[in-house]
Amino acid sequence: MGEEFKSGFVSMMGRTNVGKSSIMNRLVKEKVAAIANKPQTTRNAIRAIVNRDNLQIIFIDTPGIHKPKTKLGDIMVETAFGVVPDVDVVLFVIDATSKEIGKGDRIILDKIKESKKKTILIINKIDLVNREDVARLIDLYKDEYNFEAVIPVSVEKNINLDAIIDEIAKHLKVGPAY
Ligand code: GDP
């Protein structure tokens, strides 16, 4: 028996500027045209699809999160970022140059904790820091949540991006190609 086809839904979360769009553009080979047999709401939220031999990953849009500059900004973040979408896996993208878990990252982390979703932590822009910086960030985050994996990457230097797909694949279920 050959390997079964797997598919599933994924959502990428992260502050503005951590590199979500850059990562997505690298992962996606093919933009979505139309998807049948899915509720309208899900279809509208589809951002991109990654197709590989035996798998299909459908990326679902997540409301963006912005660094609050004002009190009003705080409120807007809360409103915009109400829920973690109902997906199989969440990709939580952070910036390797962060020295601590900042306010925006903390808000997202809390939502993920609440949702209890399978989450892969992606540390992007490792080209800008050294190994010790990455290790320190991993230390900070690993006590916060039981991440399925922590993957340091660089879109700029094309480091480790395939590992994201490999890790997502582990958590997809046997299912149809949409
Ligand atoms: P988004 O707001 O999370 O979607 O972030 P973008 O994808 O727009 O990226 C924000 C900025 O970070 C852009 O100027 C990217 O060129 C830059 N960027 C993204 N990935 C990397 C990386 O791995 N290394 C470096 N040095 N810059 C990156």
Side-chain angles (χ1 to χ4, degrees):
M1 198 174 77
E3 220 182 300
E4 281 173 294
F5 195 90
K6 287 171 139 190
S7 59
F9 293 84
V10 171
S11 193
M12 195 160 354
M13 302 192 155
R15 284 184 294 112
T16 301
N17 254 10
V18 294
K20 297 182 300 300
S21 313
S22 309
I23 292 170
M24 182 81 84
N25 288 338
R26 282 301 173 83
L27 297 184
V28 171
K29 296 250 164 95
E30 183 177 330
K31 290 268 187 289
V32 57
I35 288 210
N37 308 321
K38 274 271 126 194
Q40 191 68 30
T41 45
T42 306
R43 243 183 294 167
N44 287 344
I46 288 172
R47 183 71 200 286
I49 297 187
V50 172
N51 288 303
R52 294 284 190 275
D53 278 350
N54 277 314
L55 63 91
Q56 182 178 60
I57 301 167
I58 297 159
F59 282 92
I60 299 295
D61 246 343
T62 314
I65 186 152
H66 302 278
K67 203 173 207 170
K69 291 192 181 76
T70 62
K71 195 67 197 156
L72 179 62
D74 281 343
I75 295 162
M76 285 166 66
V77 165
E78 287 295 0
T79 314
F81 202 72
V83 282
V84 175
D86 187 20
V87 289
D88 300 299
V89 184
V90 173
L91 303 183
F92 178 21
V93 185
I94 61 170
D95 188 320
T97 63
S98 306
K99 299 289 176 218
E100 54 178 17
I101 303 176
K103 192 170 183 174
D105 290 322
R106 173 63 65 189
I107 291 170
I108 298 171
L109 192 51
D110 286 346
K111 294 293 178 189
I112 289 169
K113 285 180 187 176
E114 235 172 77
S115 78
K116 301 185 177 74
K117 289 271 172 207
K118 285 185 177 179
T119 302
I120 300 168
L121 181 66
I122 297 175
I123 304 178
N124 186 35
K125 309 194 186 184
I126 58 168
D127 54 290
L128 299 178
V129 299
N130 58 39
R131 273 168 198 281
E132 289 70 32
D133 292 326
V134 175
R136 211 174 311 121
L137 258 187
I138 292 173
D139 258 2
L140 273 178
Y141 275 88
K142 77 172 195 313
D143 294 333
E144 293 282 346
Y145 195 69
N146 187 17
F147 295 104
E148 302 298 321
V150 180
I151 308 178
V153 305
S154 166
V155 177
E156 185 78 16
K157 295 267 152 65
N158 201 12
I159 300 168
N160 231 7
L161 292 165
D162 282 345
I164 298 175
I165 300 294
D166 294 343
E167 185 60 36
I168 293 171
K170 288 185 198 168
H171 307 290
L172 298 180
K173 297 173 205 121
V174 172
Y178 290 102

